[in-house]
């Protein structure tokens, strides 16, 4: 039975503004390749700033903190779902795609966020949760109660649970099947994630039209892009693992064509937790593009693996196995985010080692991964945190920081599931860490009060007052990276060294070549790095402009690095001394 698109009329009524190009947005430079040199910052709305004393962060709370984010030096905010939701999966169980949940504010507040962010030169991307909805979504409620109605075929229904048996179960901790029986419709529905998140049926053209209209709705309001959640699982096919199917790529090509035509400059970023040889397909081709960016999931666990193994081979191997991507495309990289540190993309032996190194307490584990924040993962070691950031910011891709990691926020493994890493942002040492004026018992989650990462000592206000703090260090390295676009757009070449603990590579474009050298060991190391074709070339430190001994006549350079140390060295030609970030007046949003 054919039905009208369920959101088209609403989208047209609620968002009459014309399509905008990025250059028409106040404060933003018209650059279609902006994402290739951008630093992203994931900010959970409910965790960042509570403007009304409700105990939950909201849109106005984020608006009030935009000065801080501008001061920090990030380029684009990634705002995970803020749509109406039962919040059984952090908002990724959407019950209305074209509204703002009342606890976060209004649609007008969201439009103000876009206006204020753009005025500060900050872009904003939002999550598009295409694969599934909440079982409380009106589409599903109608589908289960009226099989012959307009939404009866919006989900994947079967009389039994025997189809698609080759598809793996993703949430092995909580689910025993990808099928769940619905007592109302008296049929089974398909879900790749939680049983309260039924998968949409993308074989139904009306579902495709509905999701296109959701994109139009938010793009007309002025968002700069979309993170496409769980895209490998949109379609099902018997005899396959129901991942990365050709019809999924056909759909993404169609979506990209619509976005490019109606909203040029709008980013599509794919969350595809797959091996690199499968992920590159989500870029499409230059003739038939799909997504502008894709997250590179397998790199992330290998950074942590290499730090504990104190050898570079795990990083070298995964980068060597990463295929080339189309011109203009970009990887997305990260150290941590709102989910667990997934270990799906490592071997059984590597996973066992990482559990032993990083999750000795079983409470630290979730699904096939580790539910911990960056700082406690690395034992609150400043040297390791700095080295991890140095790798993130210099390896191929556009990096994404997770809110609070810039101050070394801790986690709370006593909270359920992934709430361990979703606690309130720590702004000050005062009540509720300056996050909220509410009674502490009203907070959506309790603050981190561990002995080591207590908000009394780990907070923005204290670190702003200390020039040598992690916060100032992160701001400084972001400023250096911004001064050298080669880290975003340059080529990447692994270099040979004579020390297995040392990772070395070149980033190069027409304007600059940078030699990056990292010591993954917890003791000082010396290494000879082979820089073929660069005999006699001078080397200059990017951070302070200090000269280093030039590359030798044999095309090698010998460097001595301290424990967990790194160098970013300009190769060849003069380099003006870098200007260290100067302490500015504190942004108003830092103050309580």
């Amino acid at each position: 039975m054919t039905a009208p698109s369920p959101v088209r009329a609403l989208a047209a009524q609620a968002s009459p503004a014309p399509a905008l190009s990025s250059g028409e947005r106040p404060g933003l430079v018209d650059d279609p390749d902006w994402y290739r040199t951008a630093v992203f910052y994931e900010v959970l709305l409910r965790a960042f700033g509570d403007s009304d004393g409700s105990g939950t962060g909201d849109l106005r709370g984020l608006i009030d903190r935009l000065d801080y984010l501008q001061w920090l030096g990030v380029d684009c905010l990634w705002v995970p779902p803020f749509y109406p939701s039962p919040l059984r999966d952090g908002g990724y169980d959407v019950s209305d795609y074209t509204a703002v949940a009342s606890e976060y504010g209004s649609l007008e507040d969201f439009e103000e966020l876009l206006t204020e962010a753009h005025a500060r030169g900050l872009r904003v991307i939002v999550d598009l949760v295409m694969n599934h909805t909440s079982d409380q979504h009106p589409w599903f409620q109608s589908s289960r109660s009226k099989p012959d109605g307009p939404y009866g075929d919006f989900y994947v229904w079967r009389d039994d649970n025997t189809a698609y048996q080759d598809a793996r179960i993703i949430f092995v901790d909580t689910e025993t099947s990808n099928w769940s029986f619905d007592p109302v419709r008296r049929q089974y529905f398909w879900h790749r994630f939680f049983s309260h998140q039924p998968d949409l049926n993308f074989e139904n053209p009306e579902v495709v039209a509905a999701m296109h209209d959701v994109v139009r709705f938010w793009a007309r309001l002025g968002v700069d892009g979309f993170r496409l959640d769980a895209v490998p699982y949109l379609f099902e096919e018997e005899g396959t693992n129901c991942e990365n199917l050709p019809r999924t790529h056909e759909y993404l090509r169609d979506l990209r064509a619509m976005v490019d035509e109606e909203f040029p400059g709008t980013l599509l970023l794919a969350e595809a937790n797959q091996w690199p040889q499968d992920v590159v397909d989500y870029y499409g081709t230059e003739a038939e593009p799909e997504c502008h960016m894709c997250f590179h999931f397998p790199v992330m666990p290998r950074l942590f693996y290499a730090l504990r193994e104190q050898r570079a081979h795990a990083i070298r191997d995964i980068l060597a196995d990463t295929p080339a991507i189309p011109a203009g495309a970009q990887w997305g990289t990260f150290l941590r985010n709102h989910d667990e540190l997934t270990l799906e993309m490592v071997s059984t032996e590597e996973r066992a080692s990482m559990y032993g190194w990083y999750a000795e307490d079983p409470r630290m584990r979730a699904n096939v991964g580790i539910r911990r924040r960056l700082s406690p993962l690395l034992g609150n070691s400043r040297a390791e945190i700095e080295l991890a950031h140095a790798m993130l910011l210099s390896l191929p891709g556009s990096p994404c920081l997770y809110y609070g990691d810039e101050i070394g926020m801790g986690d709370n493994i006593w909270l359920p599931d992934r709430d361990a890493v979703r606690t309130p942002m720590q702004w000050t040492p005062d009540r509720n860490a300056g996050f909220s004026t509410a009674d502490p018992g009203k907070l959506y989650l309790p603050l981190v009060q561990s002995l080591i990462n207590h908000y009394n000592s780990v907070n923005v206000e204290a670190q702003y007052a200390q020039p040598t703090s992690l916060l100032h260090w992160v701001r400084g390295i972001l400023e250096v990276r911004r001064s050298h676009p080669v880290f975003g757009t340059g080529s990447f070449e692994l270099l040979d060294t004579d020390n297995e603990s040392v990772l070395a590579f070149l980033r190069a474009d027409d304007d600059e070549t940078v030699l990056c050298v990292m010591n993954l060991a917890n003791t000082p190391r010396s290494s000879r790095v082979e820089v073929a074709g660069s005999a006699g070339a001078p080397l200059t430190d990017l951070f302070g402009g200090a000269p280093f001994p030039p590359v030798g006549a044999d095309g090698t350079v010998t460097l001595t690095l301290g424990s967990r140390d790194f160098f970013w060295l300009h190769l060849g030609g003069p380099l003006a001394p870098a200007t260290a970030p100067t302490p500015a007046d504190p942004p108003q949003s830092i103050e309580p």
Side-chain angles (χ1 to χ4, degrees):
M1 182 174 181
T2 303
S5 175
V7 300
R8 183 170 293 131
L10 175 60
Q13 293 171 8
S15 54
L20 299 173
S21 71
S22 60
E24 294 174 304
R25 294 164 183 162
L28 297 182
V29 177
D30 187 7
D31 177 10
D33 290 331
W34 64 267
Y35 56 91
R36 298 184 66 198
T37 55
V39 173
F40 293 75
Y41 185 96
E42 183 186 2
V43 52
L44 300 186
L45 265 186
R46 66 174 183 162
F48 211 59
D50 172 18
S51 70
D52 59 7
S54 66
T56 296
D58 49 46
L59 284 163
R60 298 218 60 83
L62 175 54
I63 292 169
D64 291 343
R65 303 295 187 177
L66 289 176
D67 286 341
Y68 165 75
L69 296 172
Q70 181 186 22
W71 171 87
L72 180 62
V74 297
D75 303 291
C76 181
L77 309 184
W78 160 26
V79 185
F82 49 86
Y83 318 111
S85 165
L87 292 178
R88 298 182 66 186
D89 185 25
Y92 284 88
D93 47 333
V94 178
S95 59
D96 186 345
Y97 282 111
T98 55
V100 173
S102 59
E103 59 263 38
Y104 299 134
S106 65
L107 203 57
E108 290 73 23
D109 290 331
F110 182 78
E111 292 181 274
E112 183 177 347
L113 169 66
L114 294 178
T115 299
E116 294 296 329
H118 291 160
R120 291 165 173 80
L122 298 170
R123 289 180 165 85
V124 179
I125 67 171
V126 299
D127 260 291
L128 181 63
V129 188
M130 295 191 297
N131 180 70
H132 50 265
T133 71
S134 165
D135 59 8
Q136 301 303 304
H137 197 294
W139 296 349
F140 185 76
Q141 292 299 313
S142 177
S143 185
R144 70 195 302 225
S145 61
K146 299 177 182 179
D148 295 326
Y151 301 98
D153 196 33
F154 258 53
Y155 298 85
V156 182
W157 296 97
R158 295 292 185 274
D159 290 330
D160 57 46
N161 61 356
T162 60
Y164 312 134
Q165 292 300 303
D166 294 326
R168 65 191 171 103
I169 297 171
I170 295 173
F171 286 165
V172 294
D173 282 3
T174 55
E175 304 297 331
T176 58
S177 172
N178 288 321
W179 292 101
S180 288
F181 184 73
D182 179 59
V184 175
R185 182 155 163 162
R186 307 294 299 173
Q187 282 186 306
Y188 291 88
F189 63 86
W190 177 254
H191 56 88
R192 290 309 303 270
F193 295 94
F194 291 118
S195 57
H196 56 78
Q197 294 171 321
D199 277 28
L200 287 163
N201 176 20
F202 276 85
E203 294 188 8
N204 181 350
E206 286 303 317
V207 171
V208 172
M211 297 313 297
H212 276 51
D213 285 344
V214 171
V215 171
R216 290 187 177 100
F217 179 90
W218 295 106
R220 284 174 180 145
L221 291 181
V223 301
D224 300 283
F226 299 87
R227 173 188 175 271
L228 308 181
D229 183 69
V231 289
Y233 317 108
L234 301 185
F235 286 83
E236 299 77 41
E237 185 176 313
E238 200 64 66
T240 74
N241 65 359
C242 298
E243 299 177 20
N244 310 316
L245 298 180
R247 285 179 295 175
T248 296
H249 293 289
E250 292 173 11
Y251 169 79
L252 291 174
R253 286 194 292 272
D254 182 54
L255 178 65
R256 172 67 180 270
M258 183 271 284
V259 168
D260 283 351
E261 178 181 357
E262 299 182 25
F263 310 100
T266 300
L267 174 72
L268 297 180
L269 166 58
E271 185 220 20
N273 190 359
Q274 307 284 319
W275 289 102
Q277 60 266 32
D278 294 319
V279 176
V280 294
D281 292 339
Y282 287 89
Y283 292 109
T285 64
E286 292 186 49
E288 294 183 306
E290 295 180 25
C291 297
H292 303 79
M293 289 181 62
C294 298
F295 279 124
H296 197 320
F297 278 89
V299 165
M300 179 269 300
R302 284 163 178 80
L303 299 181
F304 291 98
Y305 188 89
L307 283 171
R308 287 293 170 266
E309 193 187 36
Q310 302 183 57
R311 298 170 60 200
H313 77 93
I315 301 173
R316 294 179 61 92
D317 289 350
I318 195 64
L319 292 172
D321 289 341
T322 299
I325 59 178
Q330 180 67 299
W331 287 109
T333 54
F334 60 97
L335 296 172
R336 291 300 300 112
N337 59 25
H338 64 282
D339 284 331
E340 69 274 15
L341 191 164
T342 179
L343 299 179
E344 289 183 288
M345 300 287 105
V346 300
S347 68
T348 302
E349 294 78 10
E350 290 170 330
R351 186 179 305 127
S353 295
M354 291 193 68
Y355 277 145
W357 289 329
Y358 292 113
E360 62 277 8
D361 188 324
R363 284 186 296 266
M364 298 174 180
R365 306 174 189 180
N367 299 312
V368 186
I370 301 170
R371 57 189 196 103
R372 303 219 69 189
R373 268 191 175 268
L374 177 64
S375 187
L377 267 172
L378 299 179
N380 297 289
S381 164
R382 176 71 178 268
E384 291 188 19
I385 293 170
E386 290 184 3
L387 179 58
H389 276 91
M391 289 192 287
L392 174 71
L393 296 172
S394 58
L395 287 170
S398 292
C400 183
L401 310 181
Y402 187 48
Y403 84 95
D405 280 352
E406 71 272 20
I407 59 171
M409 264 182 65
D411 49 40
N412 186 347
I413 64 172
W414 302 98
L415 296 175
D417 195 43
R418 291 166 288 185
D419 283 347
V421 300
R422 300 175 181 181
T423 56
M425 179 67 173
Q426 296 165 193
W427 295 101
T428 73
D430 306 306
R431 188 180 75 179
N432 298 330
F435 162 75
S436 171
T437 60
D439 184 291
K442 287 182 64 178
L443 298 188
Y444 75 94
L445 287 176
L447 291 155
V448 172
Q449 301 183 57
S450 69
L451 294 174
I452 300 173
N453 298 105
H454 198 288
Y455 69 87
N456 282 158
S457 56
V458 180
N459 60 74
V460 172
E461 186 178 61
Q463 293 205 14
Y464 185 86
Q466 173 52 263
T468 60
S469 68
L470 178 62
L471 174 62
H472 280 288
W473 184 89
V474 170
R475 179 178 182 250
I477 197 171
L478 291 182
E479 184 168 313
V480 172
R481 187 184 194 274
R482 187 182 306 106
S483 301
H484 299 275
V486 65
F487 288 118
T489 59
S491 62
F492 174 80
E493 179 187 356
L494 284 167
L495 301 178
D496 291 330
T497 73
D498 64 351
N499 192 314
E500 63 181 6
S501 295
V502 175
L503 175 69
F505 52 88
L506 289 178
R507 303 302 311 274
D509 60 17
D510 292 339
D511 299 319
E512 184 175 22
T513 299
V514 176
L515 169 64
C516 301
V517 186
M518 320 278 178
N519 176 22
L520 298 166
N522 59 11
T523 55
R525 299 295 167 95
S526 179
S527 180
R528 187 175 68 253
V529 181
E530 297 184 14
V531 194
S534 299
L539 292 168
T540 310
D541 176 42
L542 291 192
F543 290 87
F548 273 55
V551 178
D554 60 351
T556 69
V557 58
T558 299
L559 296 168
T560 300
L561 301 98
S563 169
R564 311 294 195 190
D565 201 2
F566 72 94
F567 292 125
W568 288 356
L569 302 173
H570 176 80
L571 177 66
L575 177 70
T579 301
T582 55
D585 290 336
Q588 184 177 1
S589 57
I590 288 181
E591 299 174 351

